[in-house]
Amino acid sequence: MLSQPLSLPCGTTLKNRIAKSAMSDSLGDGAGNPTNDQIALYERWAKGGLALSIIGEVQGTPHFAEKPGNLVLNNHSDREQLVRLANAGATDNAQLWLQLGHAGAMADAPISKPKGPSALDLPGLICGGMSLDEIHALPAEFARTARLAKQLGFGGVELHAAHGFLLNQFLSPLFNKRDDDYGGSLQNRMRLLLEVISAVRDAVGPEFPVGIKLNATDQLVGGFAEDEALDVVAAVDKTGVDLIDISGGTYFPGAASSSDRAGTGPYFLDFAGRARAKTRIPLMVTGGFKTLAQAESAIADGMADIVGLARALVVDPELPSYWLSGQRSKPLFPRFQNPPEGGVTAWYTMQITQNAKGEAALAPEDLETAIEAYESRDEVRRRVWNSMLG
Ligand SMILES: Cc1cc2nc3c(=O)[nH]c(=O)nc-3n(C[C@H](O)[C@H](O)[C@H](O)COP(=O)(O)O)c2cc1C
């Protein structure tokens, strides 16, 4: 099942049904450019047998980054390093896509002035609201970044409309309190997403893969929820999108995020089944896949066309080759006792660095030191970011 190729509407074929879902790898150099460790990591993942690998949170400008380790793709970028990255990630006929991010209200405050659909002053979240002119500039900005990704040789792009970042903020009534054409009814709240899709498609032409990552639900009372998400899937079906990557949860302060979550997965398969009835666009389902049997049945049962793995490919970067040859069923996941909010994601982020450098794996007991290393590295990069890009 997992070995079957998957054809996307744009004409690109993915060589099998295993994807590395987008992760913010925190391996940028602090000035928005790729490091050699990052290039080595995407080559390693590609050699591990996956069909598609997506780099998380690539920014079109330095102004609304999620973290100071993000890549920034614009006219100031180090093109040579980016071309090396694109080539390394395409080793063995894998596809390397960039997830186009904009953290909006949740932009990393020390390196930005967070701004979302509406001004908010909540515990842990203070942001300004965007003007109409600022909103109108966004589709062209995403389009410019997508065009550059194509020029540099990346295989495709994924628009990040999940997890509480900008395009999800517009969808979510928790963030979006606007009373103009971009707020209120769902039709208005999804307007920006549809405008961005259309601008990106126009910029890259019909044959370049464009995906979106969409929340099935924010898993928050008053947030974006399943019935509305199904209506968004139906609206996206009428656009030129090649892959809908279904996820959920959010980094809204105090909320549950998929990357910190423990428990039995996969998380969003029921929703994927409902989404299937709304669209013919191929579906990727991400979140909570732990075993070969789960991945195979998601495909066999018709819930997903391709499975997205994040943490499984951090603990076992070569997992796809084992799964494709039926050799290993389960990666070894760490178990943490009462981790702090964000701690699990920080541990995985530092484990990504170990993989990139080819160094020994972290143990679950390293949680506290991993969190410290993660935070102090970001502090250093914030200084670089502010001096180079601020
Ligand atoms: C370290 C780390 C960083 C992540 N960064 C991103 C990101 O930049 N963009 C994104 O869409 N999801 C991101 N995620 C979420 C994953 O793509 C995925 O949705 C989530 O981890 C659930 O999948 P899993 O159970 O296979 O890990 C991240 C996850 C981890 C562990």
Side-chain angles (χ1 to χ4, degrees):
M1 268 297 162
L2 294 176
S3 310
Q4 299 297 313
L6 174 66
S7 296
L8 301 179
C10 65
T12 292
T13 299
L14 302 177
K15 67 178 179 177
N16 61 49
R17 304 303 180 100
I18 304 177
K20 183 199 75 70
S21 67
M23 280 187 276
S24 175
D25 53 48
S26 271
L27 288 170
D29 65 357
N33 290 310
T35 54
N36 290 336
D37 286 345
Q38 195 170 22
I39 293 169
L41 175 70
Y42 285 90
E43 182 169 350
R44 181 171 178 189
W45 264 323
K47 286 183 171 165
L50 44 70
L52 169 63
S53 184
I54 308 176
I55 303 185
E57 292 286 358
V58 177
Q59 306 294 318
T61 78
H63 306 305
F64 297 96
E66 173 253 357
K67 288 282 175 200
N70 293 166
L71 296 180
V72 182
L73 200 61
N74 60 22
N75 289 335
H76 308 291
S77 301
D78 183 340
R79 285 177 169 249
E80 213 172 294
Q81 276 295 83
L82 284 160
V83 169
R84 287 186 57 218
L85 176 62
N87 290 337
T91 303
D92 290 349
N93 203 22
Q95 283 264 320
L96 179 60
W97 294 9
L98 302 183
Q99 181 186 56
L100 306 188
H102 184 309
M106 298 213 303
D108 190 48
I111 56 169
S112 63
K113 293 192 181 64
K115 233 182 216 193
S118 306
L120 296 174
D121 188 350
L122 301 169
L125 180 61
I126 298 176
C127 67
M130 289 186 167
S131 68
L132 260 186
D133 283 349
E134 285 169 328
I135 295 172
H136 288 153
L138 288 165
E141 186 183 303
F142 277 95
R144 205 169 44 240
T145 319
R147 193 181 301 116
L148 202 45
K150 183 180 174 189
Q151 280 167 6
L152 292 168
F154 290 96
V157 293
E158 176 184 78
L159 306 176
H160 195 357
H163 302 171
F165 296 106
L166 185 80
L167 295 174
N168 171 257
Q169 289 161 21
F170 270 85
L171 294 172
S172 169
L174 282 179
F175 285 96
N176 188 342
K177 317 276 183 200
R178 299 183 73 90
D179 56 9
D180 58 11
D181 286 352
Y182 292 90
S185 66
L186 179 62
Q187 203 189 356
N188 282 353
R189 282 182 277 125
M190 71 167 111
R191 188 179 308 280
L192 177 64
L193 173 64
L194 298 179
E195 287 176 354
V196 170
I197 291 171
S198 162
V200 165
R201 175 52 78 203
D202 285 353
V204 296
E207 291 172 5
F208 188 71
V210 176
I212 70 162
K213 189 165 185 174
L214 183 70
N215 264 10
T217 159
D218 294 347
Q219 297 175 320
L220 271 181
V221 177
F224 180 64
E226 289 203 3
D227 286 348
E228 289 198 334
L230 287 172
D231 289 344
V232 173
V233 168
V236 169
D237 182 62
K238 299 189 177 61
T239 70
V241 160
D242 293 294
L243 187 68
I244 304 179
D245 176 4
I246 293 170
S247 184
T250 157
Y251 296 97
F252 195 86
S257 69
S258 279
S259 56
D260 243 40
R261 183 169 166 183
T264 329
Y267 307 143
F268 305 109
L269 276 182
D270 287 350
F271 175 84
R274 295 175 72 198
R276 185 64 101 193
K278 303 278 181 185
T279 184
R280 283 184 298 172
I281 296 174
L283 298 179
M284 170 164 153
V285 181
T286 296
F289 282 99
K290 295 187 181 66
T291 66
L292 172 59
Q294 287 169 340
E296 282 179 337
S297 48
I299 306 287
D301 297 347
M303 301 299 185
D305 296 296
I306 183 164
V307 294
L309 308 176
R311 289 167 295 179
L313 292 180
V314 179
V315 294
D316 197 345
E318 282 77 35
L319 187 67
S321 58
Y322 292 114
W323 276 7
L324 290 164
S325 58
Q327 278 181 56
R328 182 184 301 176
S329 76
K330 216 175 171 180
L332 271 181
F333 290 99
R335 283 178 195 276
F336 302 103
Q337 303 295 329
N338 303 318
E341 187 180 319
V344 173
T345 308
W347 185 93
Y348 276 95
T349 309
M350 295 317 295
Q351 181 62 53
I352 288 175
T353 299
Q354 298 298 104
N355 292 343
K357 291 181 183 297
E359 290 177 1
L362 300 177
E365 302 78 57
D366 296 327
L367 180 67
E368 217 170 290
T369 42
I371 295 172
E372 276 164 24
Y374 171 80
E375 283 170 357
S376 60
R377 182 176 63 179
D378 273 356
E379 274 314 308
V380 173
R381 285 190 187 160
R382 285 185 181 113
R383 287 197 287 277
V384 177
W385 190 282
N386 283 333
S387 68
M388 305 281 291
L389 303 170

